Amino acid sequence: MEQICLILLLISKALSVGAQFNGYNCDANFHSRFPAERDISVYCGVQTITLKINFCPVLFSGYTDTDLALNGRHGDAHCRGFINNNTFPTVVLFSISLATLETCGNALVVSTAQGPNAYGNLSLVQIGNISGYIDTPDPPTIISYLPGLLYKFSCSYPLEYLVNNTQLASSAAAISVKDSNGTFVSTLSLLLYNDSSYVQQLSIPMAGLTLKTRVFAAVKATNLDRRWNVLMDYCYTTASGNPNDELRYDLFFSCDKDPQTTVFENGKSQMGRFAFEVFRFVKHKNQKMSTVFLHCVTKLCRADDCPMLMPICGSRKKRDVSERTESNSASGNAIITAGPIITRSDDTPMNNSQLAQLNSPVFRMNTVTSALISGIIILGVMSLCFFILSLTLLKGKRAPPTILSGACNPAFN
């Protein structure tokens, strides 16, 4: 009788365990516990950071895979992981691309440490540390009987590696355009350049760009004939690579334009061009460097119709094109991104006048000229000292005046 009871007890436990893990690759003997530090594995790859979380303790704690998200971004589906049930134990995978360092709120902190540089020599190098966490949401109630889960991670890379692998990152958007001859697809891209010639693409030094450095941007289109032009509706910047980031700074939108931004060409050809001065986001105040991502909402318009879509500043905001009979005068909008642009916060930032002085010819004395001028000054001072000393000695050698004694001459008596 006792053996039968024991068998029934074991069967009931097996059924409860099977129901508890619900088909996932979990072992009740090892995973009937709350999560621990060993449950997260971090892989700092050359292109992406991969995070693996043991899902079985998460399930045991009363949560599902959709409850785990990066840095508290539970409302963003892009910040959640996905289940991999082909391994033992079952894991939840997260992937973070180095091209978008601050997506989903991951932090980039730059520090200086002793180490080998790009040439293998030991020197002070700058390290970029990417860190964040994965957690579960707080319940809407005052109390909860479920434990709050928190997994922290970090990866460190030489800043030179991050800059060289992300400084020219540019997204391309394929946009479909209806024409009288049918439908064709054009590709839009946003590129950054060093100067107004728009020839050499932007090169970001390892230490980052100085604040107020002028950056030139261009939106280009491919697979277009002469009937279509590029029209930039709205260009703005964010601290992360996410175009939907709530923290943003507008460069230009309709007639509103940042004072440091200049639009050279828009809606007049198959390339839109503008320039702006780089800055830092205040949220990076405790960091030596700041990341800036550039985004442009762009469309294609017929060359004849582009002027009708341009804003009229100083009058109405935009021409009314709703009454036009032609419905295919413009394409839909596409968002294209470039970055990150890494800027550094110097103790003595340069303004425009200082930058202009750097570009203007300045008279500089070489070592020989400086030595000759210093010698002439020293000789002049020494000559003046000798002259004063000579005058003092001459005054000392003069004969003293005759002093009358009190003796009487008897001849005058």
Side-chain angles (χ1 to χ4, degrees):
M1 185 68 181
E2 293 178 355
Q3 293 178 350
I4 295 175
C5 292
L6 181 61
I7 293 173
L8 291 175
L9 181 62
L10 291 176
I11 292 174
S12 63
K13 285 187 175 181
L15 291 175
S16 64
V17 168
Q20 176 185 359
F21 291 106
N22 197 22
Y24 293 106
N25 296 330
C26 300
D27 190 337
N29 296 324
F30 297 101
H31 303 133
S32 298
R33 57 174 177 81
F34 293 120
E37 292 183 2
R38 65 178 182 273
D39 290 331
I40 182 173
S41 301
V42 182
Y43 302 91
C44 305
V46 295
Q47 297 293 335
T48 59
I49 298 174
T50 303
L51 309 174
K52 290 184 180 181
I53 293 181
N54 186 345
F55 179 61
C56 299
V58 175
L59 192 63
F60 177 80
S61 301
Y63 293 100
T64 65
D65 58 305
T66 57
D67 293 323
L68 297 175
L70 285 166
N71 306 298
R73 305 290 180 90
H74 299 281
D76 190 346
H78 297 91
C79 301
R80 301 191 194 120
F82 59 92
I83 283 283
N84 182 6
N85 202 28
N86 295 324
T87 63
F88 181 85
T90 301
V91 295
V92 181
L93 296 175
F94 291 83
S95 182
I96 303 171
S97 174
L98 295 184
T100 53
L101 299 179
E102 292 191 333
T103 299
C104 295
N106 300 307
L108 171 63
V109 178
V110 179
S111 59
T112 303
Q114 194 81 13
N117 57 20
Y119 303 99
N121 301 322
L122 190 65
S123 63
L124 288 176
V125 295
Q126 291 176 310
I127 304 297
N129 182 268
I130 305 170
S131 61
Y133 61 89
I134 298 171
D135 67 347
T136 51
D138 293 327
T141 57
I142 299 176
I143 65 170
S144 174
Y145 294 100
L146 296 179
L149 307 187
L150 179 65
Y151 304 87
K152 295 182 179 181
F153 66 91
S154 66
C155 283
S156 295
Y157 296 88
L159 185 65
E160 185 177 8
Y161 173 82
L162 293 178
V163 171
N164 289 341
N165 283 273
T166 62
Q167 63 176 351
L168 296 180
S170 176
S171 69
I175 191 167
S176 178
V177 182
K178 292 183 179 180
D179 199 356
S180 57
N181 296 328
T183 302
F184 66 94
V185 176
S186 177
T187 301
L188 297 172
S189 58
L190 176 57
L191 301 174
L192 305 177
Y193 295 89
N194 281 329
D195 51 43
S196 58
S197 65
Y198 288 89
V199 175
Q200 185 179 6
Q201 291 195 18
L202 179 65
S203 177
I204 302 177
M206 185 180 65
L209 294 175
T210 307
L211 296 177
K212 295 186 72 67
T213 299
R214 201 156 182 78
V215 172
F216 296 82
V219 177
K220 295 184 177 181
T222 59
N223 190 33
L224 281 183
D225 57 30
R226 295 181 179 180
R227 294 175 296 172
W228 295 90
N229 288 346
V230 170
L231 179 62
M232 301 177 295
D233 275 344
Y234 174 33
C235 288
Y236 60 98
T237 59
T238 61
S240 69
N242 181 12
N244 299 320
D245 197 334
E246 295 181 357
L247 178 63
R248 63 177 62 186
Y249 182 76
D250 297 342
L251 296 181
F252 63 88
F253 174 65
S254 186
C255 292
D256 298 325
K257 184 173 66 66
D258 171 67
Q260 311 302 328
T261 300
T262 304
V263 180
F264 301 113
E265 187 177 10
N266 191 18
K268 297 180 180 179
S269 68
Q270 296 180 2
M271 182 173 68
R273 300 179 300 119
F274 65 97
F276 65 99
E277 293 182 357
V278 296
F279 49 83
R280 69 177 181 89
F281 281 96
V282 179
K283 67 173 287 187
H284 299 149
K285 62 181 179 181
N286 296 325
Q287 303 179 22
K288 292 184 178 180
M289 297 191 179
S290 178
T291 54
V292 178
F293 289 84
L294 178 63
H295 313 277
C296 281
V297 180
T298 311
K299 67 174 62 174
L300 298 177
C301 56
R302 289 184 179 274
D304 297 335
D305 297 326
C306 280
M308 302 297 297
L309 301 175
M310 294 289 293
I312 305 177
C313 301
S315 179
R316 291 171 297 171
K317 288 294 180 181
K318 182 175 288 189
R319 291 183 174 93
D320 186 9
V321 295
S322 60
E323 298 180 356
R324 294 184 56 87
T325 57
E326 192 169 359
S327 60
N328 57 355
S329 60
S331 67
N333 290 330
I335 301 178
I336 47 181
T337 300
I341 304 170
I342 300 179
T343 63
R344 68 174 184 266
S345 299
D346 294 336
D347 294 334
T348 55
M350 292 186 177
N351 54 30
N352 281 336
S353 60
Q354 290 173 323
L355 290 174
Q357 290 175 5
L358 291 178
N359 296 327
S360 61
V362 180
F363 175 73
R364 299 182 182 275
M365 293 186 296
N366 55 29
T367 307
V368 178
T369 305
S370 301
L372 288 175
I373 294 176
S374 301
I376 292 172
I377 294 174
I378 293 173
L379 287 176
V381 173
M382 292 178 64
S383 300
L384 182 60
C385 292
F386 281 126
F387 178 71
I388 296 174
L389 181 62
S390 300
L391 290 179
T392 304
L393 293 176
L394 288 174
K395 288 182 180 181
K397 289 182 179 181
R398 288 181 180 177
T402 304
I403 302 175
L404 298 176
S405 64
C408 296
N409 188 346
F412 290 98
N413 291 333

